[in-house]
């Protein structure tokens, strides 16, 4: 994308390409680190802890913002822990189906859902 802008934007046509591409790479690497989940064994344990019914409720709430997560699922989420919850969201962000979502917004919603469940206790 950076190359596209360098080649098509009249203001950037004569810009220092190395500097712009270096900055672009730096931004990409920073975003990559922010959304990097734990290893697959850790994530598998998280999936087991939350269960498929609660996992579906949580995902539905995150994607549609309709409905709520019931008390039992919130309890499961608290037992699973915030680290598992956030890492599962990070893994989800990296799936091809999620390419068009706003990752920072999705992570904020994910954190809010966790905090809402914590407040329910």
């Amino acid at each position: 994308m950076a190359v596209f802008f360098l080649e098509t934007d009249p203001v950037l046509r004569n810009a220092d390409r190395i500097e712009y591409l270096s900055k672009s790479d730096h931004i990409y690497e920073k975003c990559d680190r922010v959304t990097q989940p734990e290893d697959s064994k850790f994530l598998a344990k998280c999936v087991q802890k939350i269960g498929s019914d609660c996992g579906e409720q949580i995902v539905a709430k995150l994607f549609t913002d309709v409905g709520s997560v019931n008390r039992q699922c919130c309890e499961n989420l608290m037992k699973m822990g915030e680290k598992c919850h956030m890492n599962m969201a990070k893994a989800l962000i990296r799936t091809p189906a999620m390419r068009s979502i706003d990752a920072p917004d999705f992570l904020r919603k994910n954190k809010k859902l966790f905090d809402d469940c914590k407040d329910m206790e």
Side-chain angles (χ1 to χ4, degrees):
M1 192 164 197
V3 172
F4 172 79
F5 284 117
L6 284 169
E7 290 178 357
T8 59
D9 188 327
V11 175
L12 298 176
R13 268 199 197 135
N14 296 321
D16 180 359
R17 287 177 176 254
I18 293 173
E19 179 185 352
Y20 275 88
L21 293 174
S22 176
K23 286 179 181 180
S24 175
D25 286 347
H26 177 72
I27 291 167
Y28 178 84
E29 289 168 9
K30 188 175 179 180
C31 290
D32 186 54
R33 282 191 305 273
V34 168
T35 61
Q36 182 70 43
E38 297 277 334
D39 64 66
S40 58
K41 289 180 185 178
F42 174 78
L43 289 172
K45 289 178 184 176
C46 295
V47 170
Q48 287 176 337
K49 289 177 187 177
I50 195 67
S52 61
D53 290 339
C54 289
E56 287 176 17
Q57 259 187 56
I58 290 167
V59 168
K61 177 68 177 167
L62 288 171
F63 282 107
T64 64
D65 204 27
V66 175
S68 61
V69 176
N70 69 31
R71 181 172 291 283
Q72 181 60 52
C73 288
C74 276
E75 288 174 10
N76 288 1
L77 186 59
M78 291 299 102
K79 288 176 188 170
M80 182 180 75
E82 188 170 11
K83 184 177 178 182
C84 272
H85 183 58
M86 291 304 290
N87 275 278
M88 288 175 68
K90 289 177 180 182
L92 224 107
I93 286 170
R94 290 172 168 258
T95 62
M98 300 284 286
R99 293 273 186 233
S100 63
I101 68 144
D102 179 339
D105 184 54
F106 185 78
L107 291 174
R108 276 190 295 279
K109 286 180 182 178
N110 193 60
K111 173 78 168 111
K112 182 179 181 330
L113 179 93
F114 187 86
D115 291 344
D116 288 349
C117 279
K118 189 177 358 178
D119 291 343
M120 198 183 280
E121 288 190 315

